[in-house]
Amino acid sequence: MNRTLGIFGALALLCTAPAAAQNLIPQPVSVEWGEGFVALIPYRVIEATHGELAPLADYLEGAIPGGRVRLTLDGASDLPAGGYRLTVAPERVVVAGRDYGGVWNGIQTLMQLFPAEVYSGSTGTPSAQFTLPVVTIEDWPAMEYRGVMLDVARTFVPKEQVMRLIDNIARHKINKFHWHLADDEGWRIEIKSYPRLTEIGAWRGGDSPVFPVYGEWDTKYGGFYTQDEIREVVAYAAVRGVEVIPEIDLPGHSRAAAIAYPEILCGYTPDLTASGGYDTRNVWCVAREENYAMLDSIIREVAALFPSKTFHLGGDEVETGAWRACPHCKALMAERGITDAARLQDIFMARVIEIAARHGKNAGVWNEAAAGGGIARSTTVWGWESLAAAKRVAADGYPTVVCAGEYFYFDMRQSPRDIGHIWAGIVTLEKVYSFSPAALGFTTAAQANLRGVEATLFHELGLENGPGYVDYQLFPRVCALAEVGWAPATRRSWDDFERRLTQRSPRPGGFDDAPSHLERLAAMGIAYRAAEPVPDPGLARLKTPAVSFTSSMTARERDPFSRVSGYSGAARTTRSVGEGDWLLWTFAEPVTASRIDIKTGYDHLQRGGVPVGRVEVSYDGSTFETAARMHDLKATLTPDRPVKAIRIVSESPYNGETFTIIQPLKIR
Ligand code: ACM
Ligand code: ZN
């Protein structure tokens, strides 16, 4: 076979063996490998046939080391939205998109034909070994909505890191970024008409009136995005074909807003004894008419910043106790003939959905908001609580985004030994990949209502695990999600996906192997989860000397203090820890130890323990001296003498819970 070398220059290579798979993720619809490889010209000639593609030409200019590429909207109008045709031939590369997003998607496939270094930001002269396979790819997504949600309320994520994440998900043809901007633990978006939302609501811990539930208690912590910063992120995402969907979680999950503007709460004085004096209410009053004027201003300002037609209004996990205790809400129930206070949520949601519509937006909600069936069927519903909940809303006729906890909550652990939550089980990579609406019993009618899938990262654990936590939880699970959204189950194979993810593919003709997808992630600088964590070998050698345990608090029957003294598990008290509360371990005999780890709160979650306090040690059983301070609900002692007793004295009035958990000591 004889090829013209063309503009790709002197190194066009004439191999007759078919190109081995290039480890493309997500798997395209159709790939026809041609014969041979094309060496790149060592400079870029990038041409866009339509003015609106200029941002993509600029992007590609900074992204590839060489080659002649045409970007066009011609020649793909027969494909579904997001579809593209990519042709790599000796004379040039053509990326023809059905639409802007289609061209973006084609560019991302093109980049996967390059060596992994293309992602490390070095766009210098290509080496002689730098070749592209001759290929024609025709491709389009199975699902219109392929999303990632990031909670920036529980852990604030600076603008630059949000943009980096958007870049990394867009490289996987993810086209929606759902930005969870307000929750109990923080309000993260500047609202000019209600400045206290961020002046007060964006900060917690230390002297902030917003108390922490997770993480640091004695340090003031937080942040928010100005409206200009939001615009900047939205524009950055738009270049990458990513629609940014804002979420303001209403009417529950609103403690930060309620601390900034307490008048939004129901009109009664709550009993604060269980919470050490803190007002923990977090639900907007349904009956207070002024609330809707305030929400109109908030929604108007947020709506103006986001070109997305969708505005997520929350609607999950509403604590209806406040409504039941509120004279105004009770009067509203009587007036409307409602007997179940939970149905006040339908009234509230209908009001805010109408406000969003007035500002040009279709509403989105979490699945509980649709449980009563009373909200408009034009509302997109995120089915999160379970697969069953997602099926229910889809069967009920709502456009549905599936983010069911047991498949797509990436704050769940990836193995029993990993960090993360567990309420929806262990969410392994293979579990994510196994999602298939047909195989999992979505009816044909329900499947027709599916908009797509979304990975969800709630972010309690970000503070304690640092900025790498987001990468660790999301990757490579996002790679599996990307393929679930892109390729129908009939075209997917776990074994093949795992191979493309982890193994290089040999390329004939003496050229470098095609990289594994994990190599691409590494080149992108993503701190992905590479393997299951190994157990701490020291844990097997823990000492368990005889000890008694007492406290100023009492334990509930199911979780007695004998667990702590027996080293068999955690004890749980009947109330929050308060100032001056103490926990006391007294050893039968003084204990010689190189290290003693003290932990309060949940085992794998920085929550429900003693947030601020001192750790005292006694060597004789009667006099105590301060040896450490509680930090992140824990402390470590390295005693230089045998220890007779250890006492924690709380300096914290409240821990954000109605209980306190105490773990057994770990003594080495
Ligand atoms: C949620 O996880 N509460 C939507
Ligand atoms: Zn009320």
Side-chain angles (χ1 to χ4, degrees), residues 265-268 284-288 322-323 326-330 344:
L265 293 170
C266 284
Y268 69 99
W284 291 69
C285 179
V286 181
R288 184 175 182 270
W323 293 342
C326 171
H328 312 295
C329 284
K330 286 194 283 196
L344 283 174

Side-chain angles (χ1 to χ4, degrees), residues 501-619:
L501 186 70
T502 59
Q503 316 273 312
R504 293 181 169 190
S505 262
R507 299 201 303 174
F511 295 98
D512 292 346
D513 295 345
S516 72
H517 192 68
L518 289 181
E519 288 178 88
R520 295 188 189 114
L521 297 186
M524 291 174 201
I526 295 175
Y528 64 88
R529 176 188 185 272
E532 185 164 339
V534 293
D536 175 355
L539 290 183
R541 298 192 298 271
L542 293 180
K543 298 177 183 174
T544 55
V547 69
S548 68
F549 179 81
T550 53
S551 173
S552 56
M553 294 178 277
T554 49
R556 71 173 183 181
E557 227 167 284
R558 271 167 48 207
D559 306 289
F561 288 150
S562 58
R563 288 198 178 168
V564 173
S565 53
Y567 302 94
S568 62
R572 184 167 167 143
T573 72
T574 55
R575 63 174 170 83
S576 165
V577 71
E579 200 142 8
D581 274 321
W582 51 266
L583 314 172
L584 176 65
W585 286 263
T586 308
F587 295 106
E589 299 296 333
V591 167
T592 303
S594 58
R595 173 182 171 129
I596 301 176
D597 287 299
I598 301 161
K599 170 99 173 79
T600 63
Y602 289 99
D603 193 12
H604 285 270
L605 192 55
Q606 192 181 319
R607 183 173 168 179
V610 181
V612 184
R614 55 187 191 276
V615 179
E616 300 173 337
V617 172
S618 174
Y619 303 102

Side-chain angles (χ1 to χ4, degrees), residues 154 180 249 253 316-317 366 368 384 409 423 456 458:
R154 289 172 181 79
H180 187 80
D249 202 345
H253 282 279
D316 59 316
E317 298 181 314
W366 299 108
E368 299 99 306
W384 73 275
Y409 261 46
W423 65 258
T456 311
F458 282 97

